[in-house]
């Protein structure tokens, strides 16, 4: 009997679900039809209002051009104030994103954008006009790639870079190509139109209409239509819900009663009115309720007795289990701590050198047995020591943590690189110490895959980091070694990757290089060069060469730049571009810079003792040398050598000035209080703002040789030189042009007001002994007379 009642109840439940499903489908169908009709009406209304507004705006713009005959005069004279007011009228109408007035050649004269707009790029004039005759207006819709597209309102709303462009020709009664026309001529021509034979196009008015802007014009009407459609849909939905609720209400009550019975909570009989089938179901449910009540009473008594016994046993087992878990946890934690200390870096929590070596040895043996490739990426951070010394070890530790986190995150997402290997391939990151990290790529298909991972690591690390309030950008140099091609053991593979890394640094840093057997020799040479550089000061191998700075107005030497040279006992003269970056990386640049500063001051005093006058000596200052104690060091050297502070000039780079503007101002003020001069070296090659020129106490600008040597090849370089000359003159700063090698460069600079010349045209950098004869008064006068454009002008300057 119980099984029969259960089967009958299941059948009733299926019938109930079927009724509810049919009602729900009818309800959804009604709502769907209402939504479709509402959307159709709303879309049609939006389309109609949009087309009407667009046509009205185009007609208004055409009427405005015809209503302003004075446009031809303002365009001819390019009267910006009046043209601006007339453009404001075009912008006053809704829908305009920007408006532009062109001259007859298609060059823009003036532009107005909507308030708050950042200004969209202007499309090419040819794209606006196409093949349309010059005397006719044209309306065209262009996207961001200047392709002609449709002007539908829906696509225009979704694509913010799409505009409807109308170009209207502006006619003049006189030929605009004539240059002798006056406003009176235009006035007479407009007053007597019958005397004009033909009209000429003097320019164009271009109005760019934004689909979004047009929609904002018709928004009130569209909103009312949309609201009406929404109310219609809501009304249909409400009616449908009311009708379906009347149908499904009895079934829902039956379902709730069944749920209550299943949960054992319903004890009272069910009283539901409705059709005969619903009444039968209610009677069956009432029978089930009565049977369940009797059975539940018996089961409650048995369950209570059983629960008492289970609780007693459970309590005993729980105590034993807690004691066991506590012991296991203590043993596991101790084991984990010991392993963490032995195999992981305490700062970054990455595997340390010991774990790295063990894992790499195992992976190399597995790779050899399975004849698979393995790659080792050796990564070293560029200029990390400078950051560590400048911001402190705390900031350096935070930087290393962030680098470790980025490397781990990057390589875990990079498994797709090994797309030709099975799912067991592994990519592991380790920290060997300092700023050195390694990445092991197991089971890779080719060397190109390792290169892809290396580039991904570089991209990840180049994202700016905020460390203790400072925004830092760190770059890595990565060496890649492959097994078994480059080495088959841990030591050999690590050495090969390390050699490739140093080769990457020598090629400019911030890149990756694969190991090649030919790299061993440069690596050994670098190590020897580092060792020799540390001893260069002690062995007196460093010397200064001086390149004179000539005043072309009188032929005298007004100063000289001191340039550091290294005379190596075996390799001869080592170029500065080889040992200066090496000194910065090794932390020796401060010692070398201080030696150069002291030696330059001493040499000027030696010249003075011999009756030779060098008015000024310029010494370059490295960014790593420019710290809080630099001003004190300069003052001590000046006091030690006895040199007049006004003779010493310090050459600073733009990057050095912009590192920390407020701190830099204080440091430069301290130097100015000492009495030294300040110059910006290689001005114009950096990315800094020109606003610091008015904030920093500067005395001189130096035009970089890259602009000087290429002025005749590029109008841009020539314009930059002229701009720097004008800027120095307006700020009352001295100006020195360096890298002058030809007479053409000399003549260009002197004609435009740059009279202090430094370069091979007059002298290469020479030793102090070779500089002595060059310091004689008027030494370069004869040479200047030979290369000057107008010798008489030079003589007049000399006499004055």
């Amino acid at each position: 009997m119980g099984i029969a009642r259960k089967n009958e109840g299941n059948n009733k439940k299926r019938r109930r679900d079927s009724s509810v499903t049919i009602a729900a489908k009818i309800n959804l169908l009604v709502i769907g039809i209402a939504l479709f009709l509402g959307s159709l009406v709303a879309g049609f209304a939006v389309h109609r209002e949009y087309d009407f507004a667009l046509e009205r705006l185009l007609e208004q713009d055409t009427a405005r051009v015809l209503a302003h005959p004075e446009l031809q005069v303002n365009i001819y004279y390019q009267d910006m104030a009046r043209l601006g007011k007339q453009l404001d009228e075009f912008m006053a109408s809704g829908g305009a994103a920007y408006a532009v007035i062109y001259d007859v050649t298609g060059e823009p004269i003036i532009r107005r954008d909507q308030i708050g707009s950042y200004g969209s790029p202007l499309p090419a004039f040819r794209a606006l006009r196409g093949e349309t005759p010059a005397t006719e207006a044209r309306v065209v819709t262009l996207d961001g790639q200047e392709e002609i597209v449709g002007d539908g309102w829906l696509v225009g709303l979704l694509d913010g870079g799409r505009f409807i462009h109308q170009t209207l020709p502006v006619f003049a009664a006189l030929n605009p190509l004539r240059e002798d026309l006056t406003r009176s001529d235009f006035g007479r021509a407009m007053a007597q139109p019958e005397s004009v034979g033909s009209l000429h196009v003097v320019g164009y008015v271009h109005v760019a209409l934004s689909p979004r802007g047009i929609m904002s014009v018709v928004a009130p009407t569209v909103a009312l239509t949309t609201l009406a459609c929404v109310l219609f849909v809501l009304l249909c939905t409400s009616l449908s819900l009311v009708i379906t609720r009347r149908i499904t209400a009895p079934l829902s009550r039956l379902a709730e009663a069944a749920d209550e019975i299943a949960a054992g909570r319903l004890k009272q009989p069910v009283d539901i009115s409705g059709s005969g089938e619903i009444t039968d179901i209610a009677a069956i449910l009432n029978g089930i309720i009565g049977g369940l009540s009797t059975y539940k009473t018996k089961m409650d008594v048995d369950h209570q007795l059983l629960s008492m016994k289970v609780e007693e046993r459970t309590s005993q087992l729980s105590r034993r289990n807690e004691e066991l878990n506590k012991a296991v946890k203590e043993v596991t934690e101790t084991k984990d701590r010991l392993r963490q200390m032995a195999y992981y870096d305490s700062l970054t929590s990455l595997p340390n050198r010991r774990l790295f070596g063990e894992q790499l040895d195992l992976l190399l043996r597995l790779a050899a047995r399975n004849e698979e490739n393995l790659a080792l990426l050796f990564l070293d951070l560029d200029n990390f020591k400078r950051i560590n010394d400048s911001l402190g070890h705390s900031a350096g530790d935070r930087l290393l943590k962030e680098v470790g986190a980025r490397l781990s995150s990057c390589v875990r997402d990079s498994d797709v690189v090994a797309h030709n290997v099975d799912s067991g391939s592994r990519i592991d990151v380790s920290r060997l110490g300092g700023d050195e990290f390694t990445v092991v790529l197991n089971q890779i298909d080719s060397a190109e895959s390792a290169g892809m991972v290396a580039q991904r690591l570089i991209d990840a690390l180049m994202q700016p980091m905020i460390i203790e309030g400072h925004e830092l950008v760190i770059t890595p140099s990565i060496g890649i070694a492959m097994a078994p091609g480059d080495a088959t053991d841990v030591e050999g593979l690590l050495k090969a990757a390390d050699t490739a890394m140093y080769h990457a640094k020598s090629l400019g840093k911030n890149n990756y290089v694969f190991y090649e057997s030919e790299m061993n020799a440069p690596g050994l040479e670098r190590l020897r060069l580092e060792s020799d550089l540390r001893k260069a000061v002690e062995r007196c191998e460093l010397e200064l060469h001086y390149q004179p700075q000539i005043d072309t107005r009188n032929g005298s030497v007004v100063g000289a730049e001191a340039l550091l040279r290294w005379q190596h006992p075996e390799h001869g003269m080592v170029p500065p571009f080889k040992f200066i970056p090496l000194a910065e990386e090794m932390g020796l640049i401060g010692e070398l810079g201080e030696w150069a500063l002291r030696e330059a001051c001493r040499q000027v005093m030696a010249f003075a003792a011999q009756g030779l006058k060098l008015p000024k000596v310029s010494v370059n200052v490295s960014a790593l040398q420019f710290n809080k104690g630099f001003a004190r060091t300069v003052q001590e050297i000046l006091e030690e050598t006895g040199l007049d502070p006004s003779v010493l000039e310090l050459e600073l780079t733009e990057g050095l000035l912009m590192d920390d503007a407020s701190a830099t101002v204080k440091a430069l003020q301290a130097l100015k209080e000492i009495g030294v001069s300040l110059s910006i070296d290689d001005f114009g090659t950096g990315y800094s703002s020109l606003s610091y020129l008015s904030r920093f106490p500067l005395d001189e600008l130096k035009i970089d040789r890259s602009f000087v040597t290429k002025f005749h090849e590029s109008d841009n370089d020539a314009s930059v030189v002229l701009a720097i000359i004008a800027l120095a003159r307006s700020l009352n700063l001295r100006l020195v042009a360096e890298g002058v090698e030809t007479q053409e460069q000399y003549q260009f600079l002197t004609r435009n007001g740059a009279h202090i010349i430094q370069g091979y045209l007059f002298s290469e950098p020479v030793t102090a002994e070779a500089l002595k004869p060059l310091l004689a008064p008027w030494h370069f006068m004869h040479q200047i007379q030979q290369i000057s454009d107008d010798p008489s002008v030079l003589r007049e300057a000399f006499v004055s």
Side-chain angles (χ1 to χ4, degrees):
M1 179 64 71
I3 295 175
R5 288 183 177 181
K6 182 177 181 180
N7 291 335
E8 186 177 358
N10 291 335
N11 292 334
K12 294 290 185 177
K13 183 176 185 298
R14 284 194 292 272
R15 287 195 297 273
R16 176 198 66 187
D17 294 341
S18 176
S19 300
V20 174
T21 302
I22 293 173
K25 289 182 178 179
I26 294 174
N27 192 23
L28 291 176
L29 179 60
V30 172
I31 295 174
I33 294 174
L35 285 173
F36 174 76
L37 293 176
S39 301
L40 187 63
V41 172
F44 175 76
V46 171
H47 181 73
R48 185 190 65 179
E49 292 297 329
Y50 178 86
D51 288 345
F52 176 73
L54 175 59
E55 182 178 355
R56 178 167 50 84
L57 290 174
L58 294 175
E59 292 176 353
Q60 287 177 356
D61 292 339
T62 303
R64 285 192 182 95
V65 172
L66 297 176
H68 290 286
E70 68 276 11
L71 262 176
Q72 56 181 299
V73 182
N74 297 335
I75 292 176
Y76 180 81
Y77 286 98
Q78 296 192 3
D79 190 335
M80 298 300 181
R82 296 182 178 177
L83 290 176
K85 291 180 179 179
Q86 290 164 345
L87 280 186
D88 290 337
E89 295 183 16
F90 287 93
M91 297 303 297
S93 61
Y98 61 87
V100 186
I101 293 181
Y102 296 84
D103 61 18
V104 69
T105 63
E107 291 296 324
I109 300 175
I110 185 171
R111 169 176 174 167
R112 280 288 190 274
D113 293 273
Q114 282 289 1
I115 297 176
S117 172
Y118 293 102
S120 302
L122 288 177
F125 188 75
R126 179 175 295 179
L128 294 173
R129 296 296 300 168
E131 301 298 331
T132 305
T135 58
E136 296 181 7
R138 188 190 190 204
V139 179
V140 64
T141 302
L142 301 177
D143 60 10
Q145 285 73 40
E146 300 185 4
E147 297 290 336
I148 298 178
V149 294
D151 57 357
W153 63 272
L154 181 58
V155 178
L157 286 180
L158 298 177
D159 185 2
R162 179 173 300 198
F163 294 97
I164 302 169
H165 301 273
Q166 181 181 29
T167 52
L168 301 167
V170 178
F171 296 98
L174 300 176
N175 187 355
L177 299 180
R178 293 176 55 189
E179 298 180 355
D180 57 345
L181 297 177
T182 64
R183 292 183 181 272
S184 300
D185 296 334
F186 281 96
R188 285 191 297 270
M190 288 187 289
Q192 300 176 354
E194 65 278 357
S195 64
V196 179
S198 60
L199 296 179
H200 303 270
V201 176
V202 70
Y204 297 87
V205 175
H206 166 210
V207 180
L209 299 177
S210 168
R212 296 179 180 178
I214 298 173
M215 287 301 298
S216 67
V217 175
V218 302
T221 304
V222 172
L224 290 176
T225 304
T226 304
L227 179 59
C229 294
V230 170
L231 292 176
F232 172 74
V233 173
L234 291 177
L235 178 61
C236 293
T237 302
S238 300
L239 292 175
S240 176
L241 290 175
V242 170
I243 295 173
T244 55
R245 186 177 296 277
R246 288 180 177 274
I247 297 174
T248 61
L251 294 177
S252 299
R253 293 180 59 190
L254 287 175
E256 292 175 359
D259 292 339
E260 293 290 330
I261 294 173
R265 295 190 298 269
L266 187 62
K267 299 180 180 180
Q268 301 298 325
V270 179
D271 184 13
I272 299 177
S273 60
S275 61
E277 186 176 0
I278 293 176
T279 305
D280 293 342
I281 296 174
I284 294 173
L285 290 177
N286 289 332
I288 294 173
I289 292 172
L292 287 176
S293 298
T294 303
Y295 180 75
K296 187 175 182 301
T297 301
K298 181 181 178 181
M299 289 299 296
D300 287 343
V301 175
D302 295 340
H303 182 267
Q304 186 174 4
L305 295 175
L306 181 61
S307 297
M308 294 173 64
K309 294 181 180 180
V310 171
E311 288 176 0
E312 182 181 359
R313 289 295 183 184
T314 301
S315 177
Q316 295 174 356
L317 292 175
S318 297
R319 289 196 298 270
R320 298 295 185 271
N321 191 48
E322 289 176 0
E323 295 172 357
L324 181 61
N325 288 339
K326 184 178 181 181
V328 170
K329 182 178 179 181
E330 291 176 353
V331 172
T332 303
E333 289 177 351
T334 302
K335 181 180 178 181
D336 291 343
R337 283 197 301 269
L338 292 175
R339 177 175 176 80
Q340 186 73 23
M341 294 171 60
Y343 288 102
Y344 290 89
D345 177 52
S346 60
L347 180 63
T348 62
S349 298
L350 294 175
N352 59 15
R353 182 180 289 270
R354 179 179 180 182
L355 181 57
F356 161 76
E358 293 179 3
Q359 288 183 339
L360 182 58
D361 181 64
L362 175 62
L363 292 175
L364 285 173
R365 283 184 285 171
L366 290 174
R369 184 179 65 185
N370 299 327
E371 297 182 354
E372 296 172 339
N373 293 323
L374 181 146
L376 173 62
L377 280 63
F378 192 99
L379 184 148
D380 184 87
L381 303 181
D382 301 330
N383 301 320
F384 172 74
K385 187 177 186 303
R386 181 176 65 180
I387 297 175
N388 205 31
D389 293 342
S390 302
L391 302 181
H393 294 287
S394 174
D397 291 344
R398 291 179 181 271
L399 177 64
L400 292 175
K401 287 182 180 180
E402 178 65 20
V403 169
R406 291 194 181 188
L407 292 179
S408 300
S409 174
C410 182
V411 296
R412 287 169 188 156
D413 296 335
S414 303
D415 283 340
V416 69
V417 173
H419 45 265
N420 291 329
V421 300
D422 60 26
S423 59
S425 65
R426 299 174 54 192
I427 306 180
D428 296 323
V429 182
S430 305
R431 181 189 177 211
L432 302 188
D435 59 342
E436 296 178 344
F437 295 83
T438 58
V439 177
V440 179
L441 306 181
N442 184 31
Q443 298 178 345
I444 64 171
D445 55 340
S446 64
E448 288 76 11
S449 299
M452 294 170 61
V453 175
Q455 186 59 50
R456 188 166 296 146
L457 296 177
I458 293 174
D459 295 341
L461 292 184
M462 285 186 64
Q463 299 300 319
M465 308 177 187
I466 305 299
I467 305 296
E468 295 185 354
H470 300 275
E471 182 175 321
L472 305 177
V473 176
I474 194 74
T475 59
S477 296
I478 302 177
I480 305 176
M482 304 291 298
D486 298 329
T488 57
D489 61 322
V490 174
E491 182 178 355
L493 194 64
L494 187 60
K495 181 180 178 181
D498 182 56
T499 301
M501 182 274 294
Y502 276 108
H503 198 68
K505 283 187 178 293
S506 68
L507 295 178
K509 305 179 181 180
N510 192 30
N511 60 2
Y512 65 89
V513 171
F514 284 91
Y515 172 77
E516 297 178 359
S517 58
E518 294 80 3
M519 293 180 181
N520 285 326
L524 296 176
E525 179 185 356
R526 173 188 170 89
L527 293 176
R528 286 195 296 267
L529 199 63
E530 290 181 1
S531 177
D532 292 343
L533 183 57
R534 294 184 186 275
K535 304 174 184 177
V537 177
E538 300 175 3
R539 296 176 177 174
C540 300
E541 297 174 359
L542 298 177
E543 60 183 66
L544 290 181
H545 285 195
Y546 301 87
Q547 189 171 34
Q549 298 171 347
I550 315 303
D551 188 340
T552 60
R553 292 168 293 190
N554 52 34
S556 63
V557 175
V558 296
E561 180 178 2
L563 302 170
L564 187 60
R565 297 292 185 264
W566 180 15
Q567 185 65 40
H568 195 280
E570 297 179 5
H571 304 298
M573 190 65 71
V574 180
F577 69 84
K578 279 191 175 182
F579 74 87
I580 292 296
L582 187 60
E584 291 181 341
E585 184 177 339
M586 296 169 60
L588 296 178
I589 193 63
E591 181 181 355
L592 298 186
E594 185 175 341
W595 179 90
L597 185 60
R598 179 176 285 103
E599 176 62 18
C601 295
R602 186 201 63 78
Q603 186 60 60
V604 174
M605 293 301 295
F607 285 152
Q610 300 172 25
L612 298 173
K613 181 180 179 181
L614 180 58
K616 180 185 68 176
V617 62
S618 301
V619 180
N620 291 282
V621 178
S622 169
L624 299 179
Q625 185 184 357
F626 194 81
N627 51 38
K628 294 180 180 179
F630 180 69
R632 185 173 61 254
T633 301
V634 172
Q635 186 170 11
E636 291 175 354
I637 291 176
L638 290 173
E639 293 175 353
E640 175 187 332
T641 58
L643 181 67
D644 184 352
S646 63
V647 178
L648 178 61
E649 181 176 74
L650 301 178
E651 293 192 4
L652 314 171
T653 63
E654 289 185 82
L656 182 151
L657 293 177
M658 297 312 298
D659 281 346
D660 185 352
S662 60
T664 301
V665 170
K666 295 180 181 179
L668 295 181
Q669 290 290 357
L671 292 172
K672 289 298 294 180
E673 290 175 3
I674 296 173
V676 300
S677 301
L678 301 176
S679 173
I680 299 181
D681 192 18
D682 301 337
F683 179 74
T685 60
Y687 299 93
S688 58
S689 169
L690 295 179
S691 64
Y692 67 84
L693 288 179
S694 60
R695 297 168 51 201
F696 296 154
L698 304 173
D699 301 286
E700 179 181 280
L701 299 182
K702 294 193 72 174
I703 304 176
D704 184 64
R705 70 181 305 275
S706 62
F707 299 125
V708 173
T709 57
K710 297 180 180 180
F711 81 92
H712 59 287
E713 302 175 1
S714 168
D715 292 338
N716 290 336
D717 287 333
S719 299
V720 169
V721 173
L722 296 177
I724 294 175
I725 294 173
L727 182 63
R729 185 182 296 116
S730 63
L731 295 177
N732 197 25
L733 298 176
R734 294 195 303 270
L735 187 68
V736 176
E738 63 179 356
V740 180
E741 301 177 357
T742 66
Q743 295 184 15
E744 291 79 5
Q745 297 167 4
Y746 168 88
Q747 292 166 358
F748 171 75
L749 291 166
T750 54
R751 279 200 309 267
N752 289 285
H755 299 294
I756 308 301
I757 302 298
Q758 175 184 342
Y760 277 72
L761 179 64
F762 291 108
S763 173
E764 63 180 351
V766 296
T767 62
E769 189 65 28
L771 182 64
K772 292 180 181 180
L774 306 183
L775 299 178
W778 330 119
H779 176 83
F780 294 96
M781 177 60 69
H782 181 67
Q783 183 180 357
I784 292 175
Q785 289 177 337
Q786 290 180 337
I787 63 177
S788 176
D789 278 334
D790 188 353
S792 63
V793 174
L794 179 64
R795 286 193 295 272
E796 291 176 4
F798 171 66
V799 172
S800 62

